Amino acid sequence: MRRGIATVSLSGVLADKLDAIAEAGFDGIEIFDNDLTASPLSPTEVARRCSDLGLTVDLFQPIRDIEGIEPARFSDVLHRVRRKLEVMDQLGARTFLACSNALPTALDDPGLSAAQLHAVGELAADFGVTFAYEALAWGRHVNRVGQAWSLVQRADHPAVTLAVDTFHMLARGDDGTALAGIPGDRIGFLQVADAPVLDMNVLEWSRHFRCFPGQGMLDVSGVVAAVLDTGYDGPLSLEVFSDVVREADPYVTARDAMRSLLFLEDRLGARVSGVAREKVTVAPPLPARTDAAFVELADPDRSEYPALLTGLGFHLAGRHRSKPVTWWRNGGANVVLNERSAAGPAPTALGLVAPDVAAVSERAANLLWPAVDRTRGEGEADLPGITSPSGLHVFVSASPGEPDDWRRDFLPHDGTAEPQPGGNDWLGLDHVDVTVTADDLNQEMSFFRTLFGLRPEDPEEYIQPHGRLRIRALRAEQGDLRVALQVSEAGSAPRRRGITQLAFATADAVGAVRRARARGVEFLRPPANYYADLDARFALGTDLLTVLRENDLFYDRNDEGGELLHAYTLPVQGGFQVELLERRGGYSGYGAADAHVRLAALTAPTTVASTVT
Amino acid sequence: MRRGIATVSLSGVLADKLDAIAEAGFDGIEIFDNDLTASPLSPTEVARRCSDLGLTVDLFQPIRDIEGIEPARFSDVLHRVRRKLEVMDQLGARTFLACSNALPTALDDPGLSAAQLHAVGELAADFGVTFAYEALAWGRHVNRVGQAWSLVQRADHPAVTLAVDTFHMLARGDDGTALAGIPGDRIGFLQVADAPVLDMNVLEWSRHFRCFPGQGMLDVSGVVAAVLDTGYDGPLSLEVFSDVVREADPYVTARDAMRSLLFLEDRLGARVSGVAREKVTVAPPLPARTDAAFVELADPDRSEYPALLTGLGFHLAGRHRSKPVTWWRNGGANVVLNERSAAGPAPTALGLVAPDVAAVSERAANLLWPAVDRTRGEGEADLPGITSPSGLHVFVSASPGEPDDWRRDFLPHDGTAEPQPGGNDWLGLDHVDVTVTADDLNQEMSFFRTLFGLRPEDPEEYIQPHGRLRIRALRAEQGDLRVALQVSEAGSAPRRRGITQLAFATADAVGAVRRARARGVEFLRPPANYYADLDARFALGTDLLTVLRENDLFYDRNDEGGELLHAYTLPVQGGFQVELLERRGGYSGYGAADAHVRLAALTAPTTVASTVT
């Protein structure tokens, strides 16, 4: 497939955009007229620059509101089109885009509109070019792809074709079936964009919240597959407007965009056949399942982490064959302490079990996710590392017992640190919270989604004392991995980025907290008012309330009777917290109802002053 | 009137919120249950703290979804209410708020809902308190105030009253007439909030975009006047949720909130009568008209400003009687150069003619806008200065010829610098651009609106090469003052704050630019592509196009044939630009269509490197 992108999808001035697009490896571009108008480069200079960079100008976007025009004013439209065709000729573009009329003055007269499209087609033919007519989702009278196709047919001119835009179709509730029966050679252009599902004015949604495929929730690949099945042979071209990309570095955006197209093609591999199937790039398959394996704490200064881990009931389970790295374990929960990493003290990496390891590694390379630089000793497991957009290192291990199982790199400990009493029964790592910037959120979601197939859950938002905390949780479809991406919008007080919470699952939260407290671990204390509120909300028995209160446990219950008991340590060196949680009866959430209490408790002066370093 | 505010309207933890609310002079509060639940203060400690601070607890917000409940689950509701009433008893509150059921499971059975409200009323009566039932704008079945009133009547219990919330009513299209016939003693509480008019999901609108009265566009005073006319005798209580206040300093927000209530009462003065009229605080009237008088440039280092002003055609018109300040003039345009201010070199103040000066000064004090500290020499004009939230100084002068006319402070220049040829014909200051932070925008609008009655125009948004530029223009209803507030959302590159552009009106933009260029002033150069686009859009004659191009002029034309010709200097010392503009045929905008071209031209390396200091 030819891969394209609209210049409007990037920030910067036109010259910078062209460089960034070429560097990311695109084949072609759509030139947004405002970018050209504001540029000191003449159209012929732009054409030359594109040619030097190996980019074709696949589309020009110079015009809107060309049909549904009061006849007396239509000559103005033809004047505009003619002038823009002169510019287009210098650009060397062969197709321009024209959107359905969105003006309040647009006339609702399909016969008139078709005749006007025909007249514009005549003019285009004079210049030897064609145009693609698109149904804007907020077009005044034409806002569905079926209406646009009907006008294109009625215009009955070879220079008048249909433009398909995944966002405009999906935003109006159309899917690929709306394209049934349209011949591929009548589709003049395909624009591709994804978006989160938002209940808002569609124009504002489109202008501020579009994103690249795989970052949103629309069935983009369904529409694209339907277009390819028609025999459409043109480029897949990304057209994204968003407040995030408008402020981002265009080189970063261009790479991110290319990655999203590769992911889209990968998805298309399973949805198209025949000729189209051969054209798309298919990456090695997603891992069969993805489970959490370990968290790595960088500990260059031999900090308080061993004491913390011991307090939590972990025991030293092994030492790395060749590196100053130790493995700590409590039942199914594993932590790796790396004394060599200079990035700490802090949690810096996440280990996953995601077979087939070689396929994941190749898939990451295919999708342009960068590898972690690392050395591997003789006979040690091949544990490929991939760096997420926010800088998190993710290491991928084979299943237990396989040659590339991460545990094989560790020599069993000599036995002086046996499991503590009741200290080897944790179930594993339930989830990690990864705090990212607002600008990184889409990319970080894309990383986990495209590489491991994690499914994003609905956005959540909590009130902190000094701002909002936005959360997007992602969860493996097969396997136990959960990652909660967090964006803290709290003006003056930015939180540490990276892993800010390790949540371990236990079958006995009360016992786990009791034992940890007895060993000196300090927990965040919910206020008494919180327990009074729990009683009001859930009519808990006195016994349970007392146990919760005495052990600093938060509690939630869902409509199906599933329960969550959980507690949080105070923030520890490196600015993260450890959560201990017990899920009962299929409770699958994260305790949203008590988040505001926890966040407020964190701001208490005694909490912060004594523990965050 | 008693003045109140909900704790949810401020950021921070409960103890901080109470201090901030008390410091701003409020009489009472609404306690949002989440604030209490998350607080280490017990309810009795909160009650004591409020009492120490002179605050009454006017309302408690502990509960939602108490009607439309499946009968089998209603005992859970009564349990919740009972527990919360116990807490409320300790808080010393006499009224709680209950919103209409917004759950998907809510039953659409008015008889059942009324009976359940009655049952909750019985329970409230047991505790000697009442509750106010509110129609949430997104309530499942009850979302209009008329529906809520109908259920309150049908519940037929003295402890069950109606809550009125200006946002919920106005968001659903109701105005004060919806309250006709409701007795004042059946309205249990009045919550007040404003909002910009946004076409979006009403729940999201309410959660993220509410603002204080005078900052939005809803007819808040109309609803409040209708409530007061019923005889309602309770507090006016502000309940605002917004992303902006969630990140703001609670002390700043509380003062801003108090100011908005004073402004609301001022507006009510004209809309209510009788007893209610006596209760509201009425500030001195708005000025009869507000005209731009001068811009002050702070110039401590005797910078390039005199050369710039001379180049633009200004001449030295006077020297201040007692201060190192000079007055420069070009026709109706006036600039004051202050060599003593340490704040420059930069534009720092705006001078207005807004009679009656004494009334404006008193009005500012009434509305808590802070005065500028300054000295006044004997016999000099009383030119009160007021500081806007963003730090702009605004000086208010009497009309020309009056004793407090600002010109009287200047001794005429000795005549060595007569007006230059063609250099005394400018019409005046057309507008200034004031760049503020996103957090300051609402307050800055409120400043100009409450003090001078400026009317905000619709929000506009432009794309810059590296982000968005949001603009709210404000304009005097009587008089020529225009101020365009700008918020630059462009990630890494914050613009200077304060006055970033001075726009002067002329009847001959072409001549003005020609003369200024001849004197060495450098103008921003639009690219050639821009003129090709102008030709496409407007079919301009070759002569006009040539004149525009040769003089670096931007051009716009509206549907009524009104035209704008305007040009911008390169940025000068202090980081601002001077715009020269000519309005023809009633054109009243600011040239929105060319903003992206201008903003892109500003980023050209040659532009920025050589001129911004």
PDB file of all heavy atoms in Angstrom, chain B residues 67 97-101 131-137 142-145 148 152 161-166 168 189 191 210 239:
ATOM      1  N   GLU B  67     -34.879   8.590  44.843  1.00  0.00           N
ATOM      2  CA  GLU B  67     -36.256   8.329  44.370  1.00  0.00           C
ATOM      3  C   GLU B  67     -36.186   7.607  43.033  1.00  0.00           C
ATOM      4  O   GLU B  67     -35.118   7.541  42.436  1.00  0.00           O
ATOM      5  CB  GLU B  67     -37.091   9.622  44.293  1.00  0.00           C
ATOM      6  CG  GLU B  67     -36.431  10.800  43.598  1.00  0.00           C
ATOM      7  CD  GLU B  67     -36.313  10.681  42.093  1.00  0.00           C
ATOM      8  OE1 GLU B  67     -37.122   9.969  41.477  1.00  0.00           O
ATOM      9  OE2 GLU B  67     -35.380  11.289  41.528  1.00  0.00           O
ATOM     10  N   LEU B  97     -29.123  18.350  50.356  1.00  0.00           N
ATOM     11  CA  LEU B  97     -29.511  18.377  48.949  1.00  0.00           C
ATOM     12  C   LEU B  97     -29.656  16.947  48.445  1.00  0.00           C
ATOM     13  O   LEU B  97     -28.849  16.080  48.776  1.00  0.00           O
ATOM     14  CB  LEU B  97     -28.433  19.088  48.122  1.00  0.00           C
ATOM     15  CG  LEU B  97     -28.772  19.295  46.649  1.00  0.00           C
ATOM     16  CD1 LEU B  97     -29.706  20.480  46.487  1.00  0.00           C
ATOM     17  CD2 LEU B  97     -27.496  19.539  45.829  1.00  0.00           C
ATOM     18  N   ALA B  98     -30.696  16.693  47.652  1.00  0.00           N
ATOM     19  CA  ALA B  98     -30.836  15.389  47.002  1.00  0.00           C
ATOM     20  C   ALA B  98     -31.194  15.626  45.543  1.00  0.00           C
ATOM     21  O   ALA B  98     -32.153  16.341  45.240  1.00  0.00           O
ATOM     22  CB  ALA B  98     -31.913  14.555  47.689  1.00  0.00           C
ATOM     23  N   CYS B  99     -30.398  15.068  44.650  1.00  0.00           N
ATOM     24  CA  CYS B  99     -30.614  15.281  43.218  1.00  0.00           C
ATOM     25  C   CYS B  99     -31.520  14.207  42.642  1.00  0.00           C
ATOM     26  O   CYS B  99     -31.600  13.096  43.158  1.00  0.00           O
ATOM     27  CB  CYS B  99     -29.285  15.232  42.471  1.00  0.00           C
ATOM     28  SG  CYS B  99     -28.129  16.464  43.042  1.00  0.00           S
ATOM     29  N   SER B 100     -32.144  14.531  41.530  1.00  0.00           N
ATOM     30  CA  SER B 100     -32.982  13.552  40.841  1.00  0.00           C
ATOM     31  C   SER B 100     -32.111  12.384  40.378  1.00  0.00           C
ATOM     32  O   SER B 100     -30.931  12.540  40.108  1.00  0.00           O
ATOM     33  CB  SER B 100     -33.686  14.204  39.647  1.00  0.00           C
ATOM     34  OG  SER B 100     -32.752  14.734  38.731  1.00  0.00           O
ATOM     35  N   ASN B 101     -32.735  11.228  40.310  1.00  0.00           N
ATOM     36  CA  ASN B 101     -32.027   9.982  40.017  1.00  0.00           C
ATOM     37  C   ASN B 101     -31.482   9.987  38.585  1.00  0.00           C
ATOM     38  O   ASN B 101     -32.223  10.176  37.628  1.00  0.00           O
ATOM     39  CB  ASN B 101     -33.000   8.809  40.213  1.00  0.00           C
ATOM     40  CG  ASN B 101     -32.292   7.471  40.316  1.00  0.00           C
ATOM     41  OD1 ASN B 101     -31.222   7.287  39.714  1.00  0.00           O
ATOM     42  ND2 ASN B 101     -32.874   6.556  41.069  1.00  0.00           N
ATOM     43  N   PHE B 131     -34.924  18.721  53.430  1.00  0.00           N
ATOM     44  CA  PHE B 131     -34.027  18.560  52.287  1.00  0.00           C
ATOM     45  C   PHE B 131     -34.604  19.251  51.058  1.00  0.00           C
ATOM     46  O   PHE B 131     -35.801  19.524  50.983  1.00  0.00           O
ATOM     47  CB  PHE B 131     -33.673  17.093  52.027  1.00  0.00           C
ATOM     48  CG  PHE B 131     -34.727  16.268  51.356  1.00  0.00           C
ATOM     49  CD1 PHE B 131     -34.710  16.079  49.975  1.00  0.00           C
ATOM     50  CD2 PHE B 131     -35.718  15.637  52.086  1.00  0.00           C
ATOM     51  CE1 PHE B 131     -35.661  15.294  49.339  1.00  0.00           C
ATOM     52  CE2 PHE B 131     -36.681  14.849  51.469  1.00  0.00           C
ATOM     53  CZ  PHE B 131     -36.659  14.674  50.087  1.00  0.00           C
ATOM     54  N   ALA B 132     -33.707  19.551  50.148  1.00  0.00           N
ATOM     55  CA  ALA B 132     -34.093  20.241  48.913  1.00  0.00           C
ATOM     56  C   ALA B 132     -33.828  19.303  47.734  1.00  0.00           C
ATOM     57  O   ALA B 132     -32.734  18.761  47.606  1.00  0.00           O
ATOM     58  CB  ALA B 132     -33.301  21.537  48.763  1.00  0.00           C
ATOM     59  N   TYR B 133     -34.854  19.113  46.923  1.00  0.00           N
ATOM     60  CA  TYR B 133     -34.792  18.152  45.822  1.00  0.00           C
ATOM     61  C   TYR B 133     -34.521  18.908  44.521  1.00  0.00           C
ATOM     62  O   TYR B 133     -35.214  19.860  44.178  1.00  0.00           O
ATOM     63  CB  TYR B 133     -36.118  17.394  45.752  1.00  0.00           C
ATOM     64  CG  TYR B 133     -36.243  16.440  44.596  1.00  0.00           C
ATOM     65  CD1 TYR B 133     -35.415  15.317  44.501  1.00  0.00           C
ATOM     66  CD2 TYR B 133     -37.205  16.657  43.604  1.00  0.00           C
ATOM     67  CE1 TYR B 133     -35.544  14.434  43.433  1.00  0.00           C
ATOM     68  CE2 TYR B 133     -37.344  15.773  42.543  1.00  0.00           C
ATOM     69  CZ  TYR B 133     -36.501  14.667  42.455  1.00  0.00           C
ATOM     70  OH  TYR B 133     -36.619  13.809  41.411  1.00  0.00           O
ATOM     71  N   GLU B 134     -33.509  18.471  43.804  1.00  0.00           N
ATOM     72  CA  GLU B 134     -33.030  19.209  42.626  1.00  0.00           C
ATOM     73  C   GLU B 134     -33.156  18.375  41.357  1.00  0.00           C
ATOM     74  O   GLU B 134     -32.784  17.201  41.343  1.00  0.00           O
ATOM     75  CB  GLU B 134     -31.554  19.572  42.854  1.00  0.00           C
ATOM     76  CG  GLU B 134     -30.853  20.174  41.655  1.00  0.00           C
ATOM     77  CD  GLU B 134     -29.412  20.565  41.975  1.00  0.00           C
ATOM     78  OE1 GLU B 134     -29.221  21.678  42.485  1.00  0.00           O
ATOM     79  OE2 GLU B 134     -28.491  19.760  41.749  1.00  0.00           O
ATOM     80  N   ALA B 135     -33.630  18.986  40.290  1.00  0.00           N
ATOM     81  CA  ALA B 135     -33.662  18.313  38.986  1.00  0.00           C
ATOM     82  C   ALA B 135     -32.293  18.461  38.325  1.00  0.00           C
ATOM     83  O   ALA B 135     -31.964  19.531  37.817  1.00  0.00           O
ATOM     84  CB  ALA B 135     -34.745  18.928  38.101  1.00  0.00           C
ATOM     85  N   LEU B 136     -31.492  17.399  38.353  1.00  0.00           N
ATOM     86  CA  LEU B 136     -30.238  17.387  37.601  1.00  0.00           C
ATOM     87  C   LEU B 136     -30.577  17.506  36.111  1.00  0.00           C
ATOM     88  O   LEU B 136     -31.483  16.820  35.639  1.00  0.00           O
ATOM     89  CB  LEU B 136     -29.505  16.061  37.786  1.00  0.00           C
ATOM     90  CG  LEU B 136     -28.648  15.813  39.018  1.00  0.00           C
ATOM     91  CD1 LEU B 136     -27.966  14.460  38.873  1.00  0.00           C
ATOM     92  CD2 LEU B 136     -27.627  16.906  39.215  1.00  0.00           C
ATOM     93  N   ALA B 137     -29.797  18.262  35.385  1.00  0.00           N
ATOM     94  CA  ALA B 137     -30.078  18.430  33.954  1.00  0.00           C
ATOM     95  C   ALA B 137     -29.952  17.104  33.210  1.00  0.00           C
ATOM     96  O   ALA B 137     -30.508  16.940  32.132  1.00  0.00           O
ATOM     97  CB  ALA B 137     -29.136  19.479  33.362  1.00  0.00           C
ATOM     98  N   VAL B 142     -36.298  12.817  35.648  1.00  0.00           N
ATOM     99  CA  VAL B 142     -36.602  14.159  36.169  1.00  0.00           C
ATOM    100  C   VAL B 142     -35.404  15.048  35.880  1.00  0.00           C
ATOM    101  O   VAL B 142     -34.336  14.883  36.477  1.00  0.00           O
ATOM    102  CB  VAL B 142     -36.869  14.093  37.698  1.00  0.00           C
ATOM    103  CG1 VAL B 142     -37.131  15.494  38.246  1.00  0.00           C
ATOM    104  CG2 VAL B 142     -38.033  13.161  37.996  1.00  0.00           C
ATOM    105  N   ASN B 143     -35.536  15.961  34.918  1.00  0.00           N
ATOM    106  CA  ASN B 143     -34.393  16.806  34.557  1.00  0.00           C
ATOM    107  C   ASN B 143     -34.796  18.257  34.288  1.00  0.00           C
ATOM    108  O   ASN B 143     -33.979  19.054  33.868  1.00  0.00           O
ATOM    109  CB  ASN B 143     -33.645  16.209  33.357  1.00  0.00           C
ATOM    110  CG  ASN B 143     -34.611  15.698  32.308  1.00  0.00           C
ATOM    111  OD1 ASN B 143     -35.548  16.408  31.944  1.00  0.00           O
ATOM    112  ND2 ASN B 143     -34.404  14.467  31.839  1.00  0.00           N
ATOM    113  N   ARG B 144     -36.075  18.574  34.568  1.00  0.00           N
ATOM    114  CA  ARG B 144     -36.540  19.964  34.443  1.00  0.00           C
ATOM    115  C   ARG B 144     -37.069  20.395  35.798  1.00  0.00           C
ATOM    116  O   ARG B 144     -37.671  19.604  36.539  1.00  0.00           O
ATOM    117  CB  ARG B 144     -37.663  20.073  33.401  1.00  0.00           C
ATOM    118  CG  ARG B 144     -37.312  19.541  32.023  1.00  0.00           C
ATOM    119  CD  ARG B 144     -36.314  20.417  31.310  1.00  0.00           C
ATOM    120  NE  ARG B 144     -36.889  21.666  30.851  1.00  0.00           N
ATOM    121  CZ  ARG B 144     -37.303  21.885  29.586  1.00  0.00           C
ATOM    122  NH1 ARG B 144     -37.202  20.928  28.677  1.00  0.00           N
ATOM    123  NH2 ARG B 144     -37.789  23.051  29.251  1.00  0.00           N
ATOM    124  N   VAL B 145     -36.896  21.663  36.101  1.00  0.00           N
ATOM    125  CA  VAL B 145     -37.298  22.147  37.418  1.00  0.00           C
ATOM    126  C   VAL B 145     -38.802  21.968  37.636  1.00  0.00           C
ATOM    127  O   VAL B 145     -39.252  21.693  38.759  1.00  0.00           O
ATOM    128  CB  VAL B 145     -36.847  23.623  37.615  1.00  0.00           C
ATOM    129  CG1 VAL B 145     -37.668  24.568  36.740  1.00  0.00           C
ATOM    130  CG2 VAL B 145     -36.892  24.027  39.073  1.00  0.00           C
ATOM    131  N   ALA B 148     -39.434  18.519  38.958  1.00  0.00           N
ATOM    132  CA  ALA B 148     -39.035  18.391  40.369  1.00  0.00           C
ATOM    133  C   ALA B 148     -40.075  19.049  41.274  1.00  0.00           C
ATOM    134  O   ALA B 148     -40.471  18.494  42.299  1.00  0.00           O
ATOM    135  CB  ALA B 148     -37.656  19.019  40.578  1.00  0.00           C
ATOM    136  N   VAL B 152     -42.237  17.473  44.294  1.00  0.00           N
ATOM    137  CA  VAL B 152     -42.204  18.037  45.650  1.00  0.00           C
ATOM    138  C   VAL B 152     -43.632  18.281  46.139  1.00  0.00           C
ATOM    139  O   VAL B 152     -43.980  17.960  47.286  1.00  0.00           O
ATOM    140  CB  VAL B 152     -41.375  19.336  45.678  1.00  0.00           C
ATOM    141  CG1 VAL B 152     -41.597  20.114  46.980  1.00  0.00           C
ATOM    142  CG2 VAL B 152     -39.892  19.024  45.489  1.00  0.00           C
ATOM    143  N   THR B 161     -38.487  20.118  50.134  1.00  0.00           N
ATOM    144  CA  THR B 161     -38.546  21.402  49.428  1.00  0.00           C
ATOM    145  C   THR B 161     -37.858  21.276  48.065  1.00  0.00           C
ATOM    146  O   THR B 161     -37.260  20.246  47.746  1.00  0.00           O
ATOM    147  CB  THR B 161     -37.850  22.517  50.242  1.00  0.00           C
ATOM    148  OG1 THR B 161     -36.438  22.227  50.282  1.00  0.00           O
ATOM    149  CG2 THR B 161     -38.397  22.598  51.660  1.00  0.00           C
ATOM    150  N   LEU B 162     -37.943  22.357  47.320  1.00  0.00           N
ATOM    151  CA  LEU B 162     -37.350  22.381  45.985  1.00  0.00           C
ATOM    152  C   LEU B 162     -35.979  23.069  46.026  1.00  0.00           C
ATOM    153  O   LEU B 162     -35.830  24.106  46.654  1.00  0.00           O
ATOM    154  CB  LEU B 162     -38.274  23.154  45.032  1.00  0.00           C
ATOM    155  CG  LEU B 162     -37.776  23.309  43.585  1.00  0.00           C
ATOM    156  CD1 LEU B 162     -37.844  21.975  42.841  1.00  0.00           C
ATOM    157  CD2 LEU B 162     -38.591  24.377  42.858  1.00  0.00           C
ATOM    158  N   ALA B 163     -35.001  22.486  45.351  1.00  0.00           N
ATOM    159  CA  ALA B 163     -33.718  23.170  45.147  1.00  0.00           C
ATOM    160  C   ALA B 163     -33.712  23.750  43.747  1.00  0.00           C
ATOM    161  O   ALA B 163     -34.100  23.076  42.793  1.00  0.00           O
ATOM    162  CB  ALA B 163     -32.555  22.189  45.313  1.00  0.00           C
ATOM    163  N   VAL B 164     -33.266  25.001  43.626  1.00  0.00           N
ATOM    164  CA  VAL B 164     -33.117  25.633  42.317  1.00  0.00           C
ATOM    165  C   VAL B 164     -31.627  25.806  42.046  1.00  0.00           C
ATOM    166  O   VAL B 164     -30.882  26.256  42.913  1.00  0.00           O
ATOM    167  CB  VAL B 164     -33.833  27.004  42.271  1.00  0.00           C
ATOM    168  CG1 VAL B 164     -33.545  27.706  40.953  1.00  0.00           C
ATOM    169  CG2 VAL B 164     -35.333  26.817  42.476  1.00  0.00           C
ATOM    170  N   ASP B 165     -31.218  25.410  40.850  1.00  0.00           N
ATOM    171  CA  ASP B 165     -29.822  25.555  40.443  1.00  0.00           C
ATOM    172  C   ASP B 165     -29.829  26.250  39.083  1.00  0.00           C
ATOM    173  O   ASP B 165     -30.421  25.738  38.126  1.00  0.00           O
ATOM    174  CB  ASP B 165     -29.170  24.168  40.349  1.00  0.00           C
ATOM    175  CG  ASP B 165     -27.703  24.234  39.937  1.00  0.00           C
ATOM    176  OD1 ASP B 165     -27.426  24.747  38.835  1.00  0.00           O
ATOM    177  OD2 ASP B 165     -26.851  23.760  40.693  1.00  0.00           O
ATOM    178  N   THR B 166     -29.202  27.395  39.010  1.00  0.00           N
ATOM    179  CA  THR B 166     -29.283  28.176  37.766  1.00  0.00           C
ATOM    180  C   THR B 166     -28.710  27.406  36.576  1.00  0.00           C
ATOM    181  O   THR B 166     -29.255  27.470  35.479  1.00  0.00           O
ATOM    182  CB  THR B 166     -28.532  29.529  37.895  1.00  0.00           C
ATOM    183  OG1 THR B 166     -27.155  29.275  38.129  1.00  0.00           O
ATOM    184  CG2 THR B 166     -29.103  30.369  39.012  1.00  0.00           C
ATOM    185  N   HIS B 168     -28.518  24.058  36.053  1.00  0.00           N
ATOM    186  CA  HIS B 168     -29.386  22.968  35.604  1.00  0.00           C
ATOM    187  C   HIS B 168     -30.617  23.498  34.856  1.00  0.00           C
ATOM    188  O   HIS B 168     -31.035  22.915  33.858  1.00  0.00           O
ATOM    189  CB  HIS B 168     -29.817  22.095  36.782  1.00  0.00           C
ATOM    190  CG  HIS B 168     -28.712  21.277  37.356  1.00  0.00           C
ATOM    191  ND1 HIS B 168     -28.042  20.323  36.630  1.00  0.00           N
ATOM    192  CD2 HIS B 168     -28.133  21.271  38.575  1.00  0.00           C
ATOM    193  CE1 HIS B 168     -27.098  19.763  37.380  1.00  0.00           C
ATOM    194  NE2 HIS B 168     -27.131  20.323  38.565  1.00  0.00           N
ATOM    195  N   PHE B 189     -33.391  25.837  48.662  1.00  0.00           N
ATOM    196  CA  PHE B 189     -31.998  26.247  48.443  1.00  0.00           C
ATOM    197  C   PHE B 189     -31.835  26.769  47.023  1.00  0.00           C
ATOM    198  O   PHE B 189     -32.526  26.330  46.107  1.00  0.00           O
ATOM    199  CB  PHE B 189     -31.025  25.086  48.687  1.00  0.00           C
ATOM    200  CG  PHE B 189     -29.675  25.561  49.154  1.00  0.00           C
ATOM    201  CD1 PHE B 189     -29.503  26.026  50.457  1.00  0.00           C
ATOM    202  CD2 PHE B 189     -28.574  25.565  48.302  1.00  0.00           C
ATOM    203  CE1 PHE B 189     -28.271  26.485  50.894  1.00  0.00           C
ATOM    204  CE2 PHE B 189     -27.342  26.029  48.722  1.00  0.00           C
ATOM    205  CZ  PHE B 189     -27.185  26.491  50.033  1.00  0.00           C
ATOM    206  N   GLN B 191     -28.765  27.386  44.263  1.00  0.00           N
ATOM    207  CA  GLN B 191     -27.374  27.252  43.842  1.00  0.00           C
ATOM    208  C   GLN B 191     -27.157  28.047  42.557  1.00  0.00           C
ATOM    209  O   GLN B 191     -27.999  28.023  41.659  1.00  0.00           O
ATOM    210  CB  GLN B 191     -27.030  25.778  43.612  1.00  0.00           C
ATOM    211  CG  GLN B 191     -27.019  24.992  44.924  1.00  0.00           C
ATOM    212  CD  GLN B 191     -26.653  23.541  44.715  1.00  0.00           C
ATOM    213  OE1 GLN B 191     -27.187  22.898  43.813  1.00  0.00           O
ATOM    214  NE2 GLN B 191     -25.764  23.029  45.544  1.00  0.00           N
ATOM    215  N   ARG B 210     -18.331  24.847  34.102  1.00  0.00           N
ATOM    216  CA  ARG B 210     -19.065  25.879  34.827  1.00  0.00           C
ATOM    217  C   ARG B 210     -18.115  27.023  35.196  1.00  0.00           C
ATOM    218  O   ARG B 210     -16.903  26.829  35.279  1.00  0.00           O
ATOM    219  CB  ARG B 210     -19.635  25.302  36.124  1.00  0.00           C
ATOM    220  CG  ARG B 210     -20.824  24.390  35.957  1.00  0.00           C
ATOM    221  CD  ARG B 210     -21.414  24.109  37.332  1.00  0.00           C
ATOM    222  NE  ARG B 210     -22.500  23.147  37.270  1.00  0.00           N
ATOM    223  CZ  ARG B 210     -23.466  23.089  38.193  1.00  0.00           C
ATOM    224  NH1 ARG B 210     -23.457  23.911  39.231  1.00  0.00           N
ATOM    225  NH2 ARG B 210     -24.421  22.192  38.080  1.00  0.00           N
ATOM    226  N   GLU B 239     -22.079  27.170  43.224  1.00  0.00           N
ATOM    227  CA  GLU B 239     -21.623  25.783  43.054  1.00  0.00           C
ATOM    228  C   GLU B 239     -21.039  25.655  41.656  1.00  0.00           C
ATOM    229  O   GLU B 239     -21.764  25.569  40.672  1.00  0.00           O
ATOM    230  CB  GLU B 239     -22.755  24.789  43.258  1.00  0.00           C
ATOM    231  CG  GLU B 239     -22.225  23.365  43.316  1.00  0.00           C
ATOM    232  CD  GLU B 239     -23.308  22.306  43.170  1.00  0.00           C
ATOM    233  OE1 GLU B 239     -24.296  22.561  42.445  1.00  0.00           O
ATOM    234  OE2 GLU B 239     -23.163  21.231  43.764  1.00  0.00           O
TER     235      GLU B 239
END
